[in-house]
């Protein structure tokens, strides 16, 4: 039963008249023509495109002007629009909208399933409320719709569903809300996929669902928004900020003039003498214990050159790209390396930036408190002594976010995987001890380097030493 809801066209859909007298519904390149509408049907779709109407009001508009037979046509179009995910449903209070459910993917269908009087439900733990433009919206990775909360009463109702309630109990808990309004609000959220039933013992049903219970809110939200299927946001290489913001440079500039030239290996010689690819692949292991021998500056230079130095700068579509040995989504190469040198032969300990274009280290600081903390944190993460070298991998986010819609951060994490494996294989080929780390302290990195957290901060950590 949906006849108490206000139906309207989704804000993403336009009712277009082109040429005069010919109407169609349009979203981007998708077009649904309105074939020979009578005056009643035309008035009905104009209401849909405007303030909206209930199904009963639409029926009456059409049957009073075009005759009862034309209702078939109205319902054909309502079904088509619903199938495309182009219809919104709203609950009103005092003639104003209280909440509107807007499909954000065409697979969303508002079925209008009713809510029983004795049915207790609560807001899904995956629902989140945030400001989008000048509206407050509820979103959830479990849903293919977004619910706009138009007024404080809607937010009060949503807050009332933080605990299990029937719609009658909800009405009693929120001042100025009738039982009928609470019923429609609960029905709207239920059909939009934001509620979970309360079980007899008061637990949320979704918390007993084995496939859901281990998902953290942020992981599932990130997963659903960085993959296709549950939203219609711009996706892929859409050049989001072209013409609006400068893309950060190909390679980050040197952060200090205190520069250490690094050893460059002879790649031609290595092509002939290096261990075989299969040998490196098959013998690769994570090694967390370093020493007693110290890694040398020459080994560190060779390692960095083989993993991360820029090989070439090449012209591309409208800019330049760098070529490196590890793959990188869109050749953005947003990842940068910073080194905490704990113990290394012929290299002063402290914090360094790796400059991959000229294969140099730029010294940033002594062993400050923050640098010590980063080392301690790595040793705690790997349950071992502080590593000889801790490599902090940062991302210059705007290299990727400038171009990619929806998948930017996910792409960065995938790129780290490519770099990690490259580091592992090079370290193995060189007889060094490598170990990737699964977490680190990005704020501490920001404090140690003085870099703006939102512009660039650490997204990966890697320990290296002599085995
Ligand atoms: C993304 C990633 C995160 C990791 N995080 C940690 C970590 O935090 N601490 C640790 O000691 N090892 C960590 N490792 C190493 C894994 O434990 C190791 O790769 C795994 O046990 C398989 O062993 P192997 O690398 O020796 O084949 C990580 C590896 C990867 C790829």
């Amino acid at each position: 039963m949906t006849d108490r809801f206000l139906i309207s066209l989704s804000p993403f859909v336009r009712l277009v008249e082109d040429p005069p007298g010919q109407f169609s519904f349009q979203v981007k390149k998708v077009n649904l023509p309105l074939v020979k509408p009578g005056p009643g049907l035309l008035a009905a779709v104009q209401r849909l495109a405007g303030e909206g109407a209930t199904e009963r009001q639409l029926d009456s508009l059409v049957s009073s002007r075009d005759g009862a037979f034309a209702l078939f046509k109205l319902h054909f179009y309502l079904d088509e629009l619903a199938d495309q995910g182009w219809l919104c449903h709203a609950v009103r209070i005092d003639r104003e909208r209280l909440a509107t459910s807007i499909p954000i993917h065409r697979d969303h269908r508002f079925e209008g399933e009713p809510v029983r009087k004795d049915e207790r439900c609560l807001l899904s733990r995956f629902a989140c409320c945030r400001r989008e433009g000048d509206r407050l919206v509820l979103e959830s990775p479990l849903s293919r719709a977004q619910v706009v909360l138009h007024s404080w009463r809607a937010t009060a109702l949503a807050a009332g569903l933080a605990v299990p309630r029937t719609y009658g109990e909800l009405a009693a808990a929120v001042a100025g809300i009738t039982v009928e309004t609470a019923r429609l609000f609960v029905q709207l959220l239920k059909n939009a996929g934001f509620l979970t039933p309360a079980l007899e013992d008061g637990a949320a049903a979704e918390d007993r669902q084995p496939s859901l219970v281990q998902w953290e809110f942020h992981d599932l939200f990130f997963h659903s928004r960085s993959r296709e299927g549950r939203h219609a946001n711009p996706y892929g290489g859409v050049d989001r900020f072209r013409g609006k913001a400068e893309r950060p440079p190909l390679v980050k500039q040197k952060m200090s003039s205190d520069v250490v030239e690094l050893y460059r290996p002879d790649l031609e010689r290595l092509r002939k003498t290096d261990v075989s690819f299969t040998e490196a692949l098959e013998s690769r292991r994570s090694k967390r214990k370093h020493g007693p021998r110290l890694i040398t500056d020459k080994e560190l230079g060779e390692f960095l050159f083989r993993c991360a130095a820029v090989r070439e700068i090449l012209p591309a579509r409208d800019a330049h790209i760098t070529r490196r040995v590890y793959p990188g989504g869109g050749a953005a190469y947003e990842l940068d390396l910073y080194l905490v040198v704990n113990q290394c032969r012929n290299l002063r300990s402290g914090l360094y930036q790796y400059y991959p274009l000229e294969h140099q280290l730029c010294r940033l600081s002594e062993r400050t408190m923050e640098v010590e903390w980063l080392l301690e944190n790595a040793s705690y993460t790997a349950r071992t002594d502080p590593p000889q070298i801790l490599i902090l991998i940062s991302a210059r986010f705007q290299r990727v976010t400038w171009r990619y819609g929806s998948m930017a951060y996910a792409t960065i994490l995938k790129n780290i995987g490519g770099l990690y494996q490259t580091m592992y294989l090079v370290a193995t080929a060189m007889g060094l001890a490598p170990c990737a780390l699964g977490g680190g302290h990005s704020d501490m990195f920001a404090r140690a380097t003085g870099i703006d957290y939102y512009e660039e901060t650490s997204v990966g950590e890697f320990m290296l030493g002599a085995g």
Side-chain angles (χ1 to χ4, degrees):
M1 287 285 289
T2 59
D3 62 347
R4 303 299 304 272
F5 292 103
L6 188 77
I7 312 171
S8 57
L9 271 192
S10 157
F12 306 114
V13 186
R14 291 184 314 139
L15 177 66
V16 176
E17 185 181 3
D18 185 26
Q22 280 187 30
F23 292 86
S24 61
F25 301 101
Q26 283 182 10
V27 176
K28 293 181 191 156
K29 289 177 187 153
V30 186
N31 193 37
L32 174 65
L34 190 63
V35 182
K36 295 187 183 152
L41 182 59
L42 195 56
V45 296
Q46 280 166 339
R47 279 288 290 278
L48 280 179
E51 74 272 30
T54 63
E55 212 169 302
R56 198 169 294 165
Q57 288 169 330
L58 294 173
D59 281 355
S60 123
L61 261 177
V62 170
S63 57
S64 65
R65 297 195 199 174
D66 302 349
F69 195 67
L71 287 176
F72 280 112
K73 214 165 170 177
L74 169 68
H75 285 272
F76 165 81
Y77 280 109
L78 288 179
D79 277 351
E80 282 293 306
L81 291 170
D83 277 350
Q84 297 289 339
W86 289 356
L87 283 186
C88 299
H89 290 77
V91 178
R92 281 175 302 180
I93 187 166
D94 302 336
R95 298 177 162 272
E96 298 287 325
R97 282 177 185 247
L98 177 70
T100 305
S101 161
I102 304 173
I104 53 170
H105 190 272
R106 61 170 292 179
D107 287 349
H108 175 74
R109 178 98 196 205
F110 191 92
E111 300 293 356
E113 198 190 326
V115 187
R116 292 189 327 273
K117 211 172 173 177
D118 61 347
E119 188 176 334
R120 274 202 176 79
C121 34
L122 70 166
L123 210 55
S124 164
R125 73 183 171 91
F126 294 102
C128 83
C129 194
R130 67 182 182 92
R131 180 181 66 80
E132 189 184 73
D134 58 2
R135 312 174 313 173
L136 196 65
V137 295
L138 263 185
E139 292 187 309
S140 164
L142 304 184
S143 171
R144 292 176 178 82
Q146 183 182 62
V147 171
V148 181
L149 302 175
H150 295 283
S151 73
W152 64 268
R153 283 187 284 204
T155 45
L157 282 164
L161 288 168
V163 293
R165 286 198 161 112
T166 62
Y167 60 77
E169 290 166 343
L170 182 61
V174 180
I177 296 292
T178 64
V179 171
E180 178 58 2
T181 302
R183 181 181 74 80
L184 289 173
F185 183 82
V186 170
Q187 193 180 348
L188 185 91
L189 288 198
K190 179 181 172 181
N191 280 275
F194 287 84
L195 299 185
T196 180
L199 302 175
E200 297 247 306
D201 61 359
E206 68 186 5
D207 292 340
R208 299 274 163 84
Q209 197 177 319
S211 58
L212 264 187
V213 76
Q214 294 190 23
W215 276 102
E216 286 192 58
F217 159 75
H218 72 279
D219 276 336
L220 194 52
F221 201 68
F222 175 45
H223 174 71
S224 68
R225 288 297 188 269
S226 58
R227 307 284 306 171
E228 289 188 275
R230 296 197 170 194
H231 65 89
N233 297 334
Y235 195 78
V238 291
D239 287 356
R240 293 169 66 223
F241 283 90
R242 183 179 291 280
K244 297 181 199 149
E246 280 289 306
R247 198 174 188 192
L250 270 186
V251 177
K252 183 173 174 169
Q253 72 281 16
K254 293 180 198 173
M255 291 169 67
S256 105
S257 52
D258 187 352
V259 168
V260 179
E261 296 291 340
L262 288 168
Y263 167 77
R264 287 170 185 258
D266 178 347
L267 290 182
E268 282 316 307
R269 189 179 56 79
L270 278 172
R271 279 182 205 272
K272 293 177 198 132
T273 59
D274 213 2
V275 297
S276 77
F277 172 72
T278 303
E279 175 56 27
L281 198 59
E282 294 297 323
S283 57
R284 183 211 59 79
R285 285 289 171 276
S286 295
K287 294 182 181 158
R288 298 169 181 81
K289 290 233 170 293
H290 299 161
R293 188 177 77 76
L294 287 191
I295 190 170
T296 67
D297 58 335
K298 189 174 167 197
E299 284 172 318
L300 188 59
E302 175 172 338
F303 173 83
L304 289 171
F305 189 89
R306 293 176 69 177
C307 296
V310 172
R311 294 294 189 269
E312 256 184 300
I313 295 183
L314 303 165
R317 193 164 50 121
D318 54 359
H320 283 82
I321 54 170
T322 55
R323 200 180 70 72
R324 316 200 186 192
V325 294
Y326 63 94
Y333 288 110
E334 73 287 356
L335 301 178
D336 272 307
L337 306 187
Y338 294 80
L339 271 68
V340 174
V341 174
N342 178 22
Q343 291 178 299
C344 177
R345 187 166 297 217
N346 305 323
L347 191 60
R348 270 198 299 160
S349 71
L351 180 65
Y352 295 82
Q353 172 205 13
Y354 177 58
Y355 185 59
L357 199 57
E358 293 169 15
H359 189 49
Q360 294 161 330
L361 288 179
C362 303
R363 187 169 167 80
L364 302 183
S365 75
E366 303 292 325
R367 298 177 70 124
T368 59
M369 211 174 68
E370 289 81 9
V371 169
E372 295 292 353
W373 202 96
L374 288 165
L375 273 175
E376 276 302 316
N377 194 236
S379 82
Y380 175 79
T381 307
R383 306 278 186 271
T384 185
D385 296 329
Q388 292 181 356
I389 308 287
L390 174 64
I391 301 175
L392 305 159
I393 304 171
S394 74
R396 288 181 298 139
F397 299 108
Q398 283 89 33
R399 285 284 304 161
V400 185
T401 52
W402 188 90
R403 168 156 295 160
Y404 288 99
S406 300
M407 54 163 72
Y409 194 71
T411 301
I412 291 170
L413 298 187
K414 289 168 189 173
N415 290 340
I416 293 169
L419 179 56
Y420 271 179
Q421 177 68 342
T422 306
M423 290 170 141
Y424 262 115
L425 292 178
V426 169
T428 306
M430 292 179 61
L432 296 174
C435 185
L437 296 179
H441 198 312
S442 297
D443 274 294
M444 200 54 78
F445 172 86
R447 275 158 61 178
T449 57
I451 302 172
D452 179 353
Y453 185 99
Y454 302 103
E455 212 172 277
E456 170 186 355
T457 191
S458 54
V459 284
E461 287 79 14
F462 197 92
M463 304 194 307
L464 185 73

